[in-house]
Amino acid sequence: MEQEQERDVIIVGAGPAGATTATILAQHGHDVLMLDRFDFPRDKACGDAIPAGAIELMARLGMAEKVNQAVQRGEFYPLDSIRIYSPKGNMLQARLKEGAEGGRSYVAPRMYFDAVIQKQAEESGAEFKRALVKAPWIEDGRVVGVQAQFNGDVKNIRSKIVVGADGVTSAITRTLRPKEMQHVDSHRAVALRAYIHDIEEYPHEVEFYLYDEILPGYAWVFPAGKNLANIGLGMRLDVFRKENYNLKQMLQNFLELPTIKKRLLRGGEIENIRTWQLNFGSQKQLQHTYDGALLVGDAAGFINPLTGGGIHNAMISAQMAGKTIDDALQKGDTSRESIKIYEKRIHQAMWKNMRRSYFIQRWVLRFPSIADIFFSYAAEDGILAKTFLEKL
Ligand SMILES: Cc1cc2nc3c(=O)[nH]c(=O)nc-3n(C[C@H](O)[C@H](O)[C@H](O)COP(=O)(O)OP(=O)(O)OC[C@H]3O[C@@H](n4cnc5c(N)ncnc54)[C@H](O)[C@@H]3O)c2cc1C
């Protein structure tokens, strides 16, 4: 098996978590190799809703102009408000506020959104290669690099630290996280996303629908401009399995709802249907650091259990990983002992919000009648609207 020179950092996966970590570490002068099984731009199953906090983080890393250009080209569609429908059809509408630093929220298809950050990482000095990572390379119980397939050739590449940013099906997490600590179905979801080309949208407004069949979960219509919308639905995996549901059938049922059907201009031309899984950040005792390795984004499992939003959290985790790894490389120590402060930082930043969101999802939104009562007390500045607004 061929071997290459040792790198400071290998980042597996160049989605928002991986590319943000790569940007930060390259900007700090480290030698970063980013590997992804796809070239960019590439699609990813997602609702494409990007909260203002993520856009502000991009601006801090020098991407403000790239975002502006994407908006000018019509690739990022700006949002003003959200509406959430209860099982009985009551509607809660709330205006999206600008972020603390003036950022806006957008619907940005991942084809465009991810490419902006991946490009920024390369321009900051990270090297990108297309490769399918098979597993972390482990010697004496410590991660010392990765085993990856480049165009059919399998190579071992050594690094001081490996970042697992390879999403929900992470090869890094699967190998490193003990079986009993992996996600259980009650902290996971399945979701389907498609694009619809002939829907009369509510301009600049994202729509969430909570109804009997979909709870605990929701269906969405996220406008992308010119009668184009990202449309989809998702629900908790344990309930989905128990009810023996079928996501494509559920999408058809959603399109048949009168409030949707009347807005389809030519009968609902759907394309690019994709299904994928989500791992919530509400499961206790998840280990994110190992000797020589650390997990970020969906590979760690940082999705909000109420909204299904994970992009902003992926980028927050990247920011914390960047700081932790920079410190560890300067100290010359990438053992778990040296980097486990990352877990503390993540806990402080996310845990309270994750548990609160899980509580609402599990105990309030599981049952349509309770959801309706909760809804009748929900206010524009209340906890439900706020969570959806912040973690879209
Ligand atoms: C249907 C659906 C709708 C969603 N809607 C929203 C939404 O509207 N807003 C929101 O904020 N979040 C949403 N999410 C969650 C969001 O998609 C994720 O939280 C986000 O993509 C996490 O980013 P990431 O970088 O951690 O992982 P990913 O975006 O999954 O990136 C992982 C990268 O790793 C690469 N990779 C994987 N395995 C390997 C391997 N073995 N070797 C090399 N490369 C590999 C992949 O090609 C990919 O580029 C949704 C999720 C789903 C499934």
Side-chain angles (χ1 to χ4, degrees), residues 12-19 35-38 40 42 44-51 110 114 131-134 165-171 191-193 218 220 222 233 274-278 296-299 302-303 307-312 314 391-392:
V12 184
L35 302 174
D36 200 289
R37 61 183 165 174
F38 296 121
F40 283 67
R42 60 101 183 86
K44 149 84 178 75
C46 188
D48 303 332
I50 316 289
R110 299 288 297 272
D114 290 23
L132 174 72
V133 172
K134 301 281 201 183
D166 44 345
V168 128
T169 57
S170 170
L192 172 152
R193 120 37 255 266
Y218 66 84
W220 70 81
F222 293 167
L233 43 86
R274 293 186 69 177
T275 58
W276 204 236
Q277 309 131 40
L278 299 88
V296 291
D298 279 12
F302 293 143
I303 291 189
T307 67
I311 294 170
H312 190 202
K391 295 289 173 195
L392 270 178

Side-chain angles (χ1 to χ4, degrees), residues 30 83 90 97 142 148 152 199 201 207 223 257 288 346 378:
H30 299 294
R83 54 171 75 192
N90 296 318
K97 296 187 185 72
R142 188 199 149 83
I199 190 161
E201 76 255 19
E207 304 160 52
L257 292 182
H288 308 310
I346 290 286

Side-chain angles (χ1 to χ4, degrees), residues 71-104:
V71 175
Q72 299 305 321
R73 287 192 298 268
E75 294 168 355
F76 285 27
Y77 180 79
L79 296 175
D80 290 336
S81 52
I82 63 169
R83 54 171 75 192
I84 313 175
Y85 288 91
S86 82
K88 280 198 180 137
N90 296 318
M91 197 242 292
L92 176 68
Q93 206 169 14
R95 278 199 72 73
L96 282 158
K97 296 187 185 72
E98 281 186 351
E101 294 154 40
R104 283 188 83 172

Side-chain angles (χ1 to χ4, degrees), residues 1 66 85 88 104 142 196 239 251 355-356 384:
M1 221 179 277
K66 286 192 175 71
Y85 288 91
K88 280 198 180 137
R104 283 188 83 172
R142 188 199 149 83
I196 187 160
V239 180
L251 178 66
R355 291 308 289 182
R356 196 178 55 205
L384 185 68

Side-chain angles (χ1 to χ4, degrees), residues 172-208:
I172 305 299
T173 309
R174 203 168 46 239
T175 309
L176 297 182
R177 197 177 263 171
K179 277 244 162 355
E180 65 280 6
M181 286 173 78
Q182 294 189 5
H183 274 81
V184 296
D185 287 359
S186 55
H187 288 272
R188 305 187 75 198
V190 275
L192 172 152
R193 120 37 255 266
Y195 289 101
I196 187 160
H197 287 269
D198 62 345
I199 190 161
E200 211 172 342
E201 76 255 19
Y202 298 120
H204 308 287
E205 189 163 54
V206 285
E207 304 160 52
F208 299 88

Side-chain angles (χ1 to χ4, degrees), residues 55-56 64 69 72 132 231 276 282 297 313 356:
I55 299 292
E56 290 176 341
Q69 286 168 5
Q72 299 305 321
L132 174 72
I231 190 166
W276 204 236
S282 46
N313 283 346
R356 196 178 55 205

